[in-house]
Amino acid sequence: MYNESFGSTAKRGFMGLPVAIRAIVGISTAIFLVQILGSIFLGQEFTLFVRNWFAFLPNTWVTLFQPWRLVTYMFLHAGFMHLLFNMLWLWWLGRSVEQTMGPRSFSVIYFGAGIGGALLDVALAQFFGINYVIGASGAVYGIMVAFAMLYPNQPIMLILLPPIPAKYLVAGLIAIDVLLVGQGDGVARVVHLGGAGVGYLLMKAYQRGTDLSKYVRPIERFWYRLAGTYEKSASRPQNKNMYSVSDANVVEEVEESELDAILEKISKKGYDALTKEEKKKLFELSNKN
């Protein structure tokens, strides 16, 4: 009997992740390894350098003149368990969100929640103090809220607890942060709450028909121009029989009624009620350029 090695199994599992989650987990893990190796070989000076230049500091002037911190802080973590739990929640609840919305819209919610949580921390810093913030928790909270809004009755299994519908579990986690905010326990609860709030607002916009992917496409075009691979859309013939689904364009050969039926089934019964073929079809549509 053939026994697959642990490394092969891990690689296969990692490559099976949706594209945006795979990128976030991969980059976060790589940066954490750099943090560990840097602290071992270069000592405390390296740790302070990373914190002083890439962690988020909820100060108005620092935010204005060092805006990269709004993004870089999400990829830094204080320890292995900090990284592990953030990535587990992202993997656990984020897969269904990305497969439903597509990688671009998913990324808008993830980074929008992370940035929004940091900005709320700036706004409330005079009440709760100015401390360095690191970690993806604010962004993950935005994804958790998105999951709860897409699949409110999906049961979530936690150790020693009965299955809890997603809407109640996420609401409970947010309520805990509200009750403990300002307790000085070293947890950036204001960032959590800001991320959850931005996640909610973006999901409401998405449910009203806003194409969140439009905020990602200019960044993609800029990147392709830097890489020298961007081709102007005007140089390619446009198919007038194209229409938009989530953040992907698909040809009209895919019957609109079929897609509507899948989305309607998700809204009524949740993502897990879909058949294997329906999940595959939805995933293909959401990730097609």
Side-chain angles (χ1 to χ4, degrees):
M1 181 178 178
Y2 173 72
N3 292 320
E4 188 176 21
S5 68
F6 173 78
S8 298
T9 302
K11 180 179 179 180
R12 182 162 52 84
F14 176 73
M15 295 307 296
L17 291 173
V19 60
I21 294 178
R22 185 168 70 241
I24 293 167
V25 172
I27 294 172
S28 298
T29 303
I31 290 177
F32 180 70
L33 291 176
V34 171
Q35 288 180 258
I36 296 297
L37 294 174
S39 65
I40 292 174
F41 293 106
L42 300 176
Q44 187 67 13
E45 290 185 1
F46 179 81
T47 301
L48 292 175
F49 170 79
V50 171
R51 186 201 69 179
N52 292 339
W53 283 98
F54 300 105
F56 182 73
L57 189 66
N59 174 278
T60 302
W61 295 110
V62 172
T63 303
L64 285 175
F65 292 104
Q66 299 178 359
W68 63 83
R69 293 177 182 264
L70 290 166
V71 175
T72 55
Y73 90 96
M74 296 182 231
F75 294 100
L76 302 175
H77 289 85
F80 176 72
M81 297 305 293
H82 188 202
L83 171 72
L84 179 63
F85 278 104
N86 274 335
M87 297 302 101
L88 279 177
W89 278 107
L90 181 63
W91 165 76
W92 194 8
L93 301 184
R95 287 177 302 165
S96 297
V97 176
E98 183 174 345
Q99 288 170 349
T100 299
M101 303 180 67
R104 295 184 183 88
S105 294
F106 175 91
S107 299
V108 169
I109 292 179
Y110 182 85
F111 289 104
I115 293 171
L119 291 178
L120 181 64
D121 202 17
V122 174
L124 300 180
Q126 60 179 320
F127 302 106
F128 300 110
I130 298 178
N131 298 291
Y132 282 102
V133 178
I134 59 174
S137 299
V140 172
Y141 261 68
I143 297 301
M144 291 165 60
V145 168
F147 181 90
M149 294 176 71
L150 287 170
Y151 316 111
N153 297 312
Q154 177 69 32
I156 304 295
M157 300 289 293
L158 296 178
I159 298 176
L160 303 178
L161 291 175
I164 304 173
K167 59 185 177 183
Y168 296 132
L169 175 64
V170 174
L173 292 173
I174 293 173
I176 291 173
D177 278 321
V178 171
L179 293 174
L180 297 180
V181 69
Q183 294 300 306
D185 54 2
V187 179
R189 301 191 185 279
V190 172
V191 178
H192 293 181
L193 296 174
V198 172
Y200 173 81
L201 294 175
L202 289 172
M203 277 303 301
K204 292 298 289 185
Y206 172 81
Q207 292 175 336
R208 289 194 298 267
T210 300
D211 178 17
L212 298 181
S213 70
K214 65 185 179 182
Y215 301 110
V216 174
R217 295 185 188 278
I219 299 174
E220 285 184 346
R221 289 195 291 270
F222 176 73
W223 173 257
Y224 292 145
R225 285 193 179 98
L226 288 180
T229 59
Y230 177 71
E231 297 180 11
K232 294 182 178 180
S233 59
S235 65
R236 293 192 294 259
Q238 299 295 312
N239 187 341
K240 65 180 180 180
N241 293 322
M242 299 281 281
Y243 63 93
S244 176
V245 177
S246 183
D247 69 343
N249 289 323
V250 295
V251 293
E252 202 173 39
E253 293 173 359
V254 178
E255 293 293 334
E256 186 173 2
S257 59
E258 179 185 5
L259 181 63
D260 289 341
I262 294 175
L263 297 177
E264 182 68 19
K265 188 173 182 179
I266 290 175
S267 66
K268 291 182 177 179
K269 299 181 180 180
Y271 175 79
D272 287 343
L274 297 180
T275 65
K276 184 178 180 180
E277 292 73 22
E278 289 171 332
K279 290 179 180 179
K280 181 179 179 181
K281 175 64 69 175
L282 182 63
F283 182 76
E284 290 173 350
L285 295 182
S286 297
N287 288 280
K288 195 171 183 181
N289 287 323

